[in-house]
Amino acid sequence: MRLMPGIEEGSVTLAFRRWRRPAAKPGGRQRTAAGELAIDAVEVVDIDEVTDEEARRAGHRDRADLLAELARHAEGTLYRIAFHRVGDDPRLSLQEDADLGPDELATIAARLDRLDNTRRSGAWTRAVLTLIAERPGVRAPELALAMGRETLAFKRDVRTLKEMGLTVSLGPGYRLSPRGRVVLDHLVG
């Protein structure tokens, strides 16, 4: 979180990560709290090649500060990731777009139906939306338990709904976005 202002203003344009295999690729996109990032390069780097200037571009005071951070995560290959901010997370404006006409509501309902129909265990989208509406701010493990679900699978489902702009992640838990509220009202109408 301390890097978010630097990412937003454009002074933080590098990251260093230790991975067993790359978790990003050039040309990819990454959504963060600071906005959407475009990945420009992902390169294996020797720790001895990292400079003070690169450390500052990664949001650290200097090379020693970066090395101290990297020492806490000693497993894996060291990668240097170059990126730039391309704008706000597009889900944010989607979440606030609650002025939905009949055609848009029908399209969203059809997409939710497709998600429900592809799940062997049956329909889940409306139940998850309803549970979040009834229990905003409740942690995912508690919500998953209330549905008799495994927490990680429940979180994946909530992320799917978030991609559609229907839910918002909170410190703990979730809430419906304005868009999600309109969609749920339409579905249970």
Side-chain angles (χ1 to χ4, degrees), residues 13-89:
T13 59
L14 286 179
F16 290 88
R17 298 287 184 269
R18 290 193 188 274
W19 292 321
R20 294 181 199 277
R21 58 188 161 98
K25 61 182 179 183
R29 297 282 177 114
Q30 178 71 41
R31 284 184 298 243
T32 72
E36 188 171 15
L37 309 179
I39 308 301
D40 301 318
V42 178
E43 304 165 318
V44 173
V45 62
D46 186 288
I47 199 162
D48 295 330
E49 297 173 5
V50 178
T51 66
D52 274 333
E53 190 270 330
E54 288 178 320
R56 283 189 291 279
R57 285 183 50 207
H60 294 272
R61 287 185 310 273
D62 54 26
R63 184 176 186 280
D65 185 41
L66 172 62
L67 295 181
E69 173 73 22
L70 291 172
R72 295 181 357 177
H73 311 282
E75 295 293 316
T77 303
L78 181 61
Y79 290 87
R80 175 178 45 226
I81 304 98
F83 60 85
H84 67 277
R85 186 176 185 279
V86 293
D88 292 333
D89 182 339

Side-chain angles (χ1 to χ4, degrees), residues 59-136:
H60 294 272
R61 287 185 310 273
D62 54 26
R63 184 176 186 280
D65 185 41
L66 172 62
L67 295 181
E69 173 73 22
L70 291 172
R72 295 181 357 177
H73 311 282
E75 295 293 316
T77 303
L78 181 61
Y79 290 87
R80 175 178 45 226
I81 304 98
F83 60 85
H84 67 277
R85 186 176 185 279
V86 293
D88 292 333
D89 182 339
R91 294 175 299 186
L92 298 178
S93 60
L94 188 61
Q95 291 167 357
E96 297 302 318
D97 182 9
D99 186 22
L100 302 172
D103 290 343
E104 291 170 297
L105 287 166
T107 299
I108 293 168
R111 182 166 177 206
L112 294 173
D113 288 342
R114 282 192 303 278
L115 289 168
D116 287 341
N117 292 334
T118 59
R119 180 71 53 84
R120 274 191 229 156
S121 59
W124 60 272
T125 59
R126 287 153 181 83
V128 170
L129 288 169
T130 300
L131 184 62
I132 291 170
E134 292 171 351
R135 299 179 67 189

Side-chain angles (χ1 to χ4, degrees), residues 159-176:
R159 278 193 302 273
T160 298
L161 297 172
K162 185 176 182 179
E163 289 295 318
M164 297 175 65
L166 304 179
T167 64
V168 176
S169 296
L170 303 173
Y174 314 95
R175 69 171 171 81
L176 289 186

